[in-house]
Amino acid sequence: MAGFSLTLLRHRLAAARDLARRPRPAMAPPGRPEGRLIWAHFGTGVSSAGVRFVLERLRRTHPDLRFVTTGQGGHPDLTAAPPPDATAAARAFLDHWSPNLAIFSGGDTFPAVWSEALSRGIPLFAADVDPARQASALVQEMSRFDAVLSRAPDPRIGPTLEVVGPLSKTPVPPSTNATEMEAMSERLATRPVWFAADAGPEETALVLAAHRRASRMAHRLVLVLSTSDPKIDTRLDADGWQWCWCENANQIQADTQVVASRPGRRTGLWLRLSPITYLGGSILGQGAGMSPQVPASLGSAVIHGPRLGAQAADLEPLRDVSATWTVRDADALGEAVEKFLNPAEAAKRAARGWQATSAGAEASAYLVELLDDTLAGIPA
């Protein structure tokens, strides 16, 4: 073959092998944001949800906080690869991120990283861990942590370890304004209320039909309809409903039958005021936009359709204690609302839901308190 050189081919193959063996430069991590930063590592063997929800609660109290997360879970702020457990890598990681404190969960261990962080005076916490399953050399630095919230005792760790069990995996409910809630509560004090959360345009007619049926039993019943339907005002007018937007309590009159809202607007308010919540999107939509555990944790009886979508897993602990009610059409939804207008029936379901969603709440509250106290001593 003209132009073929076996020597040149061998040289090129050797060069290719040499190039493949060379360490490739790692992608530069994103820059560290300004302000106070928490590093959270989500380790193996546990759900990252517990720590993520603790971080969300901290963010509400400390809006300046930023987070970088490593491991098996993500967070809306920043994610990074965890550092290899070697002194040089630990120094590079901590030099770059300079966290104000760090939280570790799950079964991953970082003796070298922990040692370097402790030498820098970085407060360290562990939660949802079981150090008794690890060799002493892997967990001995935990005795110098600020706190270790463990699932089981381990005498090697010493007084920093407390057995508190797993953290709560119930999502943090949307917040609300206390003054607005008081005003709305006074306005609706004598009227029964139910909340259809995040219903899409395809469900507007269904929810209104259910409301019409339930209103025959309770004439002063108010539906709070949170919907993305762009024609909701036209639909409500055409059907002859007395309605208003939910801008403030004064807009709700004695004859108001429907209070319209957009998804995300005053959701925390309505979840706290409505003893009955329907998860919109779960009958005709693509799935519920809200975890059923959120209204259940606030004492609301939960009604849903068969299409939970991404929220299906969150239904399991509620289904196990019969805390929710499944419906498949407008008639069944209206019938369920009628059923829960009975205070005793609604209270029974709500109590089951609260019990199912309160597991781990004490451990989570304790961790939030520990972290909050530590942050109080770190200048913003």
Side-chain angles (χ1 to χ4, degrees):
M1 182 182 297
F4 175 78
S5 168
L6 183 59
T7 301
L8 180 59
L9 176 61
R10 288 173 176 169
H11 175 74
R12 287 176 175 172
L13 290 174
R17 287 193 297 269
D18 180 63
L19 182 63
R21 286 194 295 265
R22 292 179 189 173
R24 298 184 180 183
M27 292 182 63
R32 186 199 191 280
E34 296 292 329
R36 296 185 296 181
L37 179 78
I38 289 180
W39 169 27
H41 178 76
F42 303 131
T44 58
V46 299
S47 167
S48 63
V51 174
R52 283 194 290 109
F53 295 150
V54 165
L55 300 184
E56 289 178 22
R57 291 175 64 177
L58 283 175
R59 169 68 65 79
R60 293 185 180 184
T61 309
H62 305 275
D64 66 299
L65 275 180
R66 296 295 178 265
F67 306 99
V68 59
T69 60
T70 57
Q72 66 176 357
H75 192 272
D77 273 15
L78 293 165
T79 58
D85 192 50
T87 301
R91 288 172 178 168
F93 184 91
L94 296 174
D95 284 346
H96 178 79
W97 292 110
S98 186
N100 295 103
L101 64 84
I103 310 168
F104 298 86
S105 63
D108 298 352
T109 56
F110 297 90
V113 174
W114 293 340
S115 179
E116 181 64 26
L118 290 164
S119 72
R120 300 180 182 213
I122 299 172
L124 302 184
F125 297 84
D128 258 1
V129 295
D130 189 358
R133 294 176 174 269
Q134 303 284 359
S136 294
L138 298 178
V139 297
Q140 62 183 354
E141 297 292 355
M142 278 190 172
S143 63
R144 300 166 59 198
F145 276 31
D146 286 62
V148 177
L149 307 189
S150 175
R151 296 186 173 196
D154 186 345
R156 301 172 303 171
I157 305 301
T160 61
L161 183 142
E162 296 189 51
V163 179
V164 297
L167 301 175
S168 171
K169 297 176 181 60
T170 300
V172 181
S175 59
T176 190
N177 179 281
T179 301
E180 185 178 30
M181 184 167 135
E182 182 179 1
M184 197 69 76
S185 180
E186 289 179 0
R187 176 67 67 167
L188 296 169
T190 62
R191 301 190 62 180
V193 180
W194 72 291
F195 179 37
D198 303 341
E202 67 281 352
E203 286 195 331
T204 302
L206 179 147
V207 171
L208 290 174
H211 183 51
R212 193 174 296 281
R213 169 173 175 158
S215 295
R216 294 171 188 160
M217 175 177 150
H219 298 294
R220 303 181 69 241
L221 180 64
V222 176
L223 162 66
V224 178
L225 176 55
S226 169
T227 180
S228 58
D229 188 347
K231 299 179 179 179
I232 184 59
D233 48 356
T234 304
R235 295 179 189 274
L236 290 168
D237 287 337
D239 286 350
W241 294 102
Q242 296 297 317
W243 71 281
C244 68
W245 288 103
C246 72
E247 296 308 317
N248 59 66
N250 292 330
Q251 292 182 280
I252 300 176
Q253 304 301 315
D255 62 348
T256 299
Q257 299 167 296
V258 179
V259 177
S261 178
R262 293 302 185 193
R265 296 292 302 275
R266 295 176 172 81
T267 300
L269 169 70
W270 298 118
L271 286 171
R272 288 167 173 83
L273 290 181
S274 302
I276 306 167
T277 297
Y278 164 65
L279 300 180
S282 61
I283 295 180
L284 297 179
Q286 299 302 309
M290 176 191 300
S291 166
Q293 295 190 21
V294 172
S297 69
L298 294 172
S300 185
V302 180
I303 305 170
H304 62 85
R307 302 179 182 181
L308 270 294
Q311 311 297 342
D314 282 0
L315 182 65
E316 291 182 11
L318 299 173
R319 184 189 288 122
D320 290 344
V321 295
S322 301
T324 64
W325 193 264
T326 306
V327 297
R328 297 183 178 275
D329 54 35
D331 280 344
L333 177 57
E335 183 180 355
V337 173
E338 289 178 356
K339 179 182 181 69
F340 292 131
L341 286 174
N342 180 332
E345 185 64 33
K348 181 174 67 176
R349 298 280 173 173
R352 293 173 183 171
W354 183 86
Q355 184 177 13
T357 57
S358 63
E362 186 174 345
S364 294
Y366 183 48
L367 179 57
V368 169
E369 182 181 355
L370 290 173
L371 298 174
D372 192 54
D373 287 347
T374 301
L375 289 168
I378 300 175

